[in-house]
Amino acid sequence: MQVITGNTQIFGILADPIHHVKTPQRINAHLVGEGFDGVMVPIHVRAEGLQAAVQGLRAMNNLAGFVVTVPHKTAMVALCDEVSADARLIGAVNVVHRTADGRLIGTMLDGEGFVAGLRQEGIEPRGRSAYLAGAGGAASAIAFALARAGVSHLTVANRTTDKVRQLFERIHSVAPAAQLVVGTEDPSGHDLVVNGTSLGLRDEDALPLDVERLLPHQVVAEIIMQPAETALLKAAKARGCRVHPGAPMLASQIPLMAAFMRHGHTHGVEHAS
């Protein structure tokens, strides 16, 4: 553990639950590697306390920024003073820079992190059909990134189909030619199957899609990091599918998150290889 002094810059991560987060370990290792005097700490905040917690963080003069994860990504948009065009379109924020005068600037890196993580493992989404479970913050970011990456068509399944339609309207505003389909629990007929929900974080969670319909040629990807092998990945493996865990999505974002929290932009930062 690095020595923490009165000069150390503080970073946070806001989540509920928080026990599963892996970002502090990764960010702290990254900061040490860069020789930067900073430390990230996990901050357990429930939805009803989010606004008050964020107000408190504004007043912390040695706080440079924070990461936002489940379930706060969507709510965070309204709590920022400024958000990137992407974050506004996606409707979610997962990393925030605090300026010296306490203003909060937010952006969303989940989508590009997810696609970079796939490509790192030799899975190219361009020209493939994709199925995505979920239309919340992270899922919306992934939907945008997959559309931009050039998937042949994208099916999104969510309990509330209204949410999916609104997401499609926003995607069409930047990718008018994207082939978008409102889906069901059935992921068959797609090359890439993605869980963009938080189902799988807890042991008692239902499966996010109908695993009985999975076939061996499909790649099944997860955004959940803990457990490393979710019930979905276990079931997909048993059906002969190639599986892609949640870890690469975070690994690809670490240098981008660190840069954004410190400077309010990611320019000049390469993706982790």
Side-chain angles (χ1 to χ4, degrees), residues 105-168:
I105 300 163
T107 195
M108 184 50 160
L109 300 172
D110 274 343
E112 56 182 299
F114 179 76
V115 168
L118 284 178
R119 287 180 168 151
Q120 206 176 290
E121 298 297 318
I123 302 162
E124 175 51 61
R126 184 170 300 284
R128 289 182 164 191
S129 58
Y131 171 98
L132 174 66
S140 295
I142 288 166
F144 267 85
L146 288 172
R148 283 193 177 135
V151 291
S152 60
H153 77 263
L154 173 66
T155 299
V156 178
N158 191 62
R159 279 194 309 272
T160 16
T161 52
D162 265 8
K163 221 172 172 185
V164 179
R165 291 203 176 88
Q166 286 163 17
L167 171 62
F168 285 174

Side-chain angles (χ1 to χ4, degrees), residues 188-203:
S188 59
H190 298 82
D191 304 314
L192 176 64
V193 175
V194 184
N195 174 33
T197 76
S198 57
L199 290 173
L201 266 183
R202 299 173 173 86
D203 290 342

Side-chain angles (χ1 to χ4, degrees), residues 35-112:
F36 182 76
D37 185 8
V39 64
M40 174 176 270
V41 290
I43 303 171
H44 188 190
V45 180
R46 295 210 168 86
E48 60 274 20
L50 182 65
Q51 199 171 350
V54 168
Q55 273 308 107
L57 295 175
R58 280 180 187 275
M60 282 176 63
N61 293 322
N62 58 347
L63 180 103
F66 52 94
V67 168
V68 183
T69 189
V70 177
H72 304 312
K73 294 179 191 187
T74 308
M76 195 60 221
V77 177
L79 298 177
C80 288
D81 299 295
E82 193 184 312
V83 298
S84 66
D86 262 17
R88 188 160 299 291
L89 269 175
I90 291 161
V93 157
N94 81 326
V95 59
V96 175
H97 167 65
R98 180 193 174 280
T99 65
D101 58 356
R103 293 179 72 255
L104 301 181
I105 300 163
T107 195
M108 184 50 160
L109 300 172
D110 274 343
E112 56 182 299

Side-chain angles (χ1 to χ4, degrees), residues 3-10 37 62:
V3 176
I4 295 170
T5 72
N7 294 315
T8 304
Q9 290 273 291
I10 307 294
D37 185 8
N62 58 347

